[in-house]
């Protein structure tokens, strides 16, 4: 065995298809000193037993782009490396046995138009022609993707490894990493059984071993293994190699030609976690016993779908482990806890069909220091600390596996590992009829059921059972006053004599204001992209409170932390659990609050964007006059131990003011009417404030400047090539959610980033970027006839640069 190098640029831990793809692409990206370490042999963990599907359509645009790149890479990999890959472009057919599934597939086909992936909606007769073996009697239709296919996972991995070696990557098998080295907050290398390697970067691609390895250096990487099943049938009448890959989502099964046999795999709704007590390091090309009784119901459904299986023989019943994540999205990117530590793990059984894209973006991310596209949905920084908890992971991943093939209904809620994080008034809201959803571990009231109605979801792509109840909440906020529990807000406290000096260059807006002022601002990267969208309240000369979304708690905390110099005299503390938040929003919010406090709540004494402590009930609360619904209102930041008594005071007084409890669905529809942007949907690290119509909160001339200023100035000078618009469908019936194509005069010009029904405006609304001629005036974006495509149909839409509801902001300043 060759000696390990003492020093390199990047160490990749793990020799599965992900690790080999990362190493291959690092070499392609120009890294000359890359070392890949595999504890046993290449592919020996889970890659070797992958079913080999290479599908491209995902539930979002950027994820589909990565899968599409993977398919394109595999197409030419054999010719490039001389290593057989077993890649076959046979196409795929996905079928729908319910009308709701067919709706989902048609919406997916529409989304695919945005990035030029050919996805054809097909009827039942066409499905029968493409796949004669199946019973089509109960089908509604499906989609066909001609460029999908399958490959041999072991051969693909070996081809990537061969390509990597030819570009100078050193690969060492039978080399177990026993320790990742660190110096303070930076990774410095690895220790193996065969020696130590100092490295500038370490990438953890260890599959189902990754969580425990990452935990040794304080990195949170939530994933857990589950049993994963497939069977091989032999002597299947009518089977031939030109059959497309078949996905029967409603029966949780997929079908693939496999060297003269038919492979039938499953993503059953209730999976069996595996490896709860740890996974042996010598686990190598191993199977696990499995449970045929667990798999048998899936098998019966498969035989009903393909009657020929009833006469065929089962050659192999296979069970092997795969790692799954709490939200069924993989983990990639830079670990927030440790500089230059990177991860690519938790592939949820789609490693082969994701590996090419993951390798490409990881290599570019490591090289450039930032992701090449918006990758937030799979960014490791989305994870909360509690999600590394073993009990939580065991319970959640039992559901995660099945969600891959479950219908992706809008607003679908997790059913396992619930009740993790609750606000102090959770039980009181339940008594009021709250139907709680789960978000980042928080139980949050999404809507309220009237008396006599059970607060449970009934899912569909149309108007769900809560639609009218949420509409009533929405209108009550517009006409009277609504109470929202927003305790899930992430809240940070930055204090010390250097607090302003640290915070100012991070914020695009000017936060050097008088104490008691609230500033809405973005945090930008050097390219002018929006890393965070939040408010900063100056509590005192040397104390600031940062309030951001629950979703970005980890990301935003570490973004600010990494911009605090070692010698700065200030401390950043996450105080999210110390305070609950009750928001009172609506034209009668002032009247209600004034009845409960001696503080002067008048517009003159308490103007918009002001924050101060007031007496309320027996406590002191911080009242911040700000809004995300477009009405007069206050967010009340209440010490956790006072939440219940303050809530009781408000509710007891609220009846005479028309107080209504409102949930997050109403919050979303209200913000859509005001065209308020939502980070991770409407604004991301790819989008600038100028493109997003947020230039009014950028202070180019503030003292000391800010991160991203030069990029924004250059963009302003060159002119914009895309703008964010608000759309209102003329037809009040269709519903848009996100990713629907936007057409202008018959030309595809963009897609919807978020959508919701505007109950006060009487139609569905959407936000979306559209391409415009570079440097053209803003009004040019409104020219032409706009249409939004929903499940293959186009609907006329009104476009606007300004909010369609209260464009002058008169109501919030009243």
């Amino acid at each position: 065995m060759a000696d390990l190098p003492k020093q390199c640029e990047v160490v990749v831990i793990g020799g599965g298809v992900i690790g080999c793809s990362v190493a291959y692409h690092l070499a392609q990206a120009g890294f000359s000193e890359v070392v890949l370490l595999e504890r046993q042999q290449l592919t020996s963990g889970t890659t070797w037993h992958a079913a080999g599907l290479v599908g491209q359509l995902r539930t979002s645009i950027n994820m589909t782009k990565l899968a599409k790149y993977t398919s394109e890479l595999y197409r030419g990999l054999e010719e490039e490396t001389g290593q057989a890959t077993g890649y076959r472009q046979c196409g795929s057919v996905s079928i729908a046995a319910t009308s709701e599934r067919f709706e989902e597939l048609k919406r997916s086909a529409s989304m695919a138009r945005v990035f030029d992936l050919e996805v054809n909606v097909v009827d039942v007769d066409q499905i029968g022609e493409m796949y004669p073996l199946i019973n089509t009697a109960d089908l509604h239709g499906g989609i066909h993707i001609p460029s999908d296919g399958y490959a041999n996972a072991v051969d693909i991995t070996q081809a990537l490894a061969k390509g990597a070696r030819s570009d100078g990557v050193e690969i060492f098998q039978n080399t177990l990493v026993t320790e990742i080295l660190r110096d303070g907050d930076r990774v410095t290398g690895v220790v193996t059984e065969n020696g130590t390697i100092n490295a500038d970067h370490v990438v953890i691609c260890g599959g189902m071993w990754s969580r425990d390895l990452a935990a040794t250096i304080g990195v949170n990487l939530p994933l857990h293994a589950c049993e994963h099943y497939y069977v091989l049938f032999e002597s299947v009448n009518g089977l031939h190699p030109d059959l497309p890959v078949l996905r029967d989502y409603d029966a949780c099964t997929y079908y693939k030609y496999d060297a003269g046999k038919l492979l039938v795999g499953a993503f059953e709704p209730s999976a069996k976690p595996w490896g709860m007590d740890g996974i042996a390091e010598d686990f190598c090309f191993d199977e696990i016993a499995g449970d045929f009784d667990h798999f048998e119901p899936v098998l019966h459904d498969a035989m009903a779908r393909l009657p020929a299986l009833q006469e065929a023989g089962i050659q192999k019943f296979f069970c092997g482990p795969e790692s799954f994540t709490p939200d069924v999205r993989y983990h990639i990117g830079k670990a927030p806890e440790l500089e230059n530590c990177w991860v690519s793990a938790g592939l949820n059984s789609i490693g082969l069909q994701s590996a090419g894209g993951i390798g490409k973006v990881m290599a570019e991310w490591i090289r450039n220091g930032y992701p090449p596209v918006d990758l937030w949905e799979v960014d490791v920084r989305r994870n909360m600390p509690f999600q590394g908890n073993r009990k939580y992971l065991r319970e959640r991943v039992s559901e995660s596996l099945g969600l891959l093939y479950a219908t992706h209904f809008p607003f679908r809620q997790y059913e396992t590992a619930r009740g993790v994080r609750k606000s102090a008034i959770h039980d009181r809201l339940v008594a009021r009829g709250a139907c709680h959803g789960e978000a980042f571990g928080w139980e949050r009231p999404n809507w309220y059921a009237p008396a006599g109605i059970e607060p449970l979801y009934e899912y569909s792509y149309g108007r769900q059972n809560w639609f009218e109840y949420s509409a009533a909440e929405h209108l009550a906020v517009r006409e009277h006053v609504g109470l929202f529990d927003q305790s899930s807000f992430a809240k940070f406290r930055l204090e010390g004599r250097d607090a302003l000096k640290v915070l100012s260059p991070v914020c695009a807006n000017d936060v050097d204001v008088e104490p008691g002022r609230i500033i809405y601002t973005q945090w930008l990267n050097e390219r002018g992209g929006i890393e965070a969208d939040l408010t900063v309240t100056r509590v005192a000369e040397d104390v600031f409170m940062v309030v951001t979304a629950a979703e970005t708690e980890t990301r935003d905390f570490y973004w600010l932390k990494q911009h605090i110099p070692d010698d700065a005299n200030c401390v950043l503390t996450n105080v999210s659990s110390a305070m609950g938040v009750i928001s009172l929003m609506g034209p009668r919010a002032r009247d209600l609050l004034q009845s409960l406090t001696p503080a002067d709540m008048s517009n003159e004494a308490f103007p918009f964007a002001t924050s101060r402590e007031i007496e309320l009930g027996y406590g002191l609360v911080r009242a911040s006059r700000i809004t995300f619904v477009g009405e007069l209102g206050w967010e009340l930041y209440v010490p956790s131990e006072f939440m219940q008594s303050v809530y009781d005071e408000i509710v007891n007084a609220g009846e005479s003011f028309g107080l209504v409890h409102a949930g997050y669905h109403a919050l979303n529809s209200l913000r859509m009417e005001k065209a308020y942007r939502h980070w991770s949907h409407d604004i991301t690290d790819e989008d600038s404030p100028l493109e997003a119509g947020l230039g009014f909160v950028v202070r180019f001339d503030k003292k000391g400047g800010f991160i991203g200023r030069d990029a924004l100035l250059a963009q302003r000078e060159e002119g914009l090539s895309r703008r964010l618009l608000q759309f209102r469908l003329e037809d009040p019936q269709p519903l848009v959610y996100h990713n629907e194509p936007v057409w202008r005069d018959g030309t595809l010009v963009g897609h919807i980033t978020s959508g919701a029904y505007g109950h006060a405006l009487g139609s569905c609304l959407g936000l979306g970027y559209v391409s415009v001629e570079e440097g053209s005036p803003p009004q040019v974006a409104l020219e032409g006839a706009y249409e939004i495509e929903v499940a293959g149909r186009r609907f006329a839409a009104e476009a606007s640069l300004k909010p369609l509801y209260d464009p002058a902001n008169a109501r919030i300043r009243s």
Side-chain angles (χ1 to χ4, degrees), residues 761-803:
L761 296 177
S763 186
C764 209
L765 309 170
L767 292 172
Y769 292 92
V770 300
S771 56
V772 295
E773 185 179 348
E774 188 171 289
S776 59
Q779 291 299 320
V780 170
L782 303 180
E783 296 176 357
Y786 278 99
E787 295 174 302
I788 310 299
E789 180 176 332
V790 180
R793 294 182 59 196
R794 298 185 195 178
F795 297 89
E798 172 190 2
S800 179
L801 287 162
K802 296 180 179 180

Side-chain angles (χ1 to χ4, degrees), residues 229-538:
Y229 295 87
Y230 60 73
V231 294
L232 279 170
F233 283 90
E234 59 184 356
S235 304
V236 179
N237 278 331
L239 183 67
H240 61 84
D242 294 328
L243 283 175
V245 171
L246 177 68
R247 293 181 178 87
D248 185 0
Y249 292 114
D250 296 305
C252 311
T253 51
Y254 59 88
Y255 306 79
K256 172 206 140 189
Y257 178 87
D258 193 283
K261 304 172 186 64
L262 185 68
L263 185 150
V264 181
F267 289 96
E268 66 276 21
S270 181
K272 300 186 71 174
W274 181 82
M276 285 76 77
D277 299 321
I279 303 169
E281 288 294 351
D282 61 357
F283 188 89
C284 177
F285 298 112
D286 290 308
E287 300 180 33
I288 53 182
D291 180 351
F292 191 81
D293 290 340
H294 176 78
F295 186 72
E296 192 172 17
V298 174
L299 200 57
H300 279 275
D301 288 342
M303 289 178 173
R305 180 61 67 203
L306 268 68
L309 299 183
Q310 298 170 20
E311 306 299 326
I314 295 180
Q315 186 202 56
K316 175 74 172 176
F317 170 65
F318 179 84
C319 180
E322 298 270 4
S323 58
F324 291 83
T325 66
D327 56 7
V328 211
R329 303 198 300 263
Y330 44 80
H331 300 313
I332 64 173
K334 184 164 67 174
E337 303 93 340
L338 192 60
E339 190 68 23
N340 288 2
C341 179
W342 306 81
V343 298
S344 295
L347 270 297
N348 303 291
S349 199
I350 56 171
L352 180 68
Q353 53 195 306
S354 306
I358 288 176
K360 182 177 188 293
V361 298
M362 282 296 298
E364 293 174 5
W365 200 337
I366 294 169
R367 181 188 63 195
N368 300 329
Y370 57 85
V373 294
D374 169 34
L375 295 170
W376 173 241
E377 63 187 290
V378 291
D379 193 320
V380 68
R381 290 176 293 173
R382 75 187 185 279
N383 295 309
M384 303 296 166
F386 78 87
Q387 291 181 302
N389 177 285
R390 288 178 174 85
K391 180 180 179 182
Y392 168 84
L393 284 170
R394 282 198 302 272
E395 293 184 14
R396 174 53 64 82
V397 298
S398 68
E399 179 183 9
S400 296
L401 183 148
L403 290 177
L404 279 167
Y405 272 27
T407 305
H408 298 93
F409 286 115
F411 314 109
R412 182 168 188 148
Q413 301 298 320
Y414 294 106
E415 297 177 1
T416 55
R418 292 293 298 266
V420 178
R421 307 169 82 183
K422 298 178 181 178
S423 82
I425 57 174
H426 175 268
D427 291 346
R428 283 164 165 77
L429 302 182
V430 169
R432 290 275 172 174
C435 182
H436 281 87
E438 186 267 354
F440 331 109
W442 283 100
E443 294 293 322
R444 305 198 304 191
N446 281 342
W447 56 279
Y448 289 82
I453 301 296
E454 194 170 8
L456 294 174
Y457 277 92
E458 296 174 12
Y459 298 118
S460 81
Y461 274 94
R463 287 162 169 73
Q464 297 186 11
N465 62 314
W466 49 264
F467 184 86
E468 295 300 335
Y469 310 138
S470 186
E473 298 167 21
H474 178 119
L475 295 174
V477 173
R478 290 280 183 247
E479 297 165 4
H480 303 290
V481 58
L483 181 151
F484 297 88
D485 177 14
Q486 294 186 273
S487 298
S488 62
F489 274 150
K491 315 161 199 85
F492 315 141
R493 187 178 175 95
L494 183 70
E495 53 191 317
R497 66 169 179 260
D498 291 334
L500 176 63
K501 183 179 177 181
V502 166
L503 191 58
S504 184
V506 176
C507 299
N509 206 341
D510 190 357
V511 294
D512 188 5
V513 294
E514 293 295 318
R517 292 288 296 166
I518 308 167
I519 298 298
Y520 169 51
T521 188
Q522 285 77 46
W523 292 351
L524 308 181
N525 52 46
E526 294 289 355
R527 306 170 311 284
I530 301 172
E531 291 286 342
D533 180 71
L534 43 76
T535 63
V536 174
T537 300
R538 191 167 196 174

Side-chain angles (χ1 to χ4, degrees), residues 12-16 36-48 172-178 192-194 205-209 213 279-286:
V12 179
I13 303 173
L36 185 146
L37 304 175
E38 164 54 42
R39 63 186 180 88
Q40 296 283 343
Q41 298 175 49
L42 298 184
T43 78
S44 63
T46 59
T47 296
W48 72 272
F172 297 88
Q173 301 183 78
N174 301 303
T175 304
L176 176 67
V177 173
T178 58
T192 79
E193 295 175 323
N194 302 320
C205 304
M208 56 190 176
W209 289 270
L213 178 60
I279 303 169
E281 288 294 351
D282 61 357
F283 188 89
C284 177
F285 298 112
D286 290 308

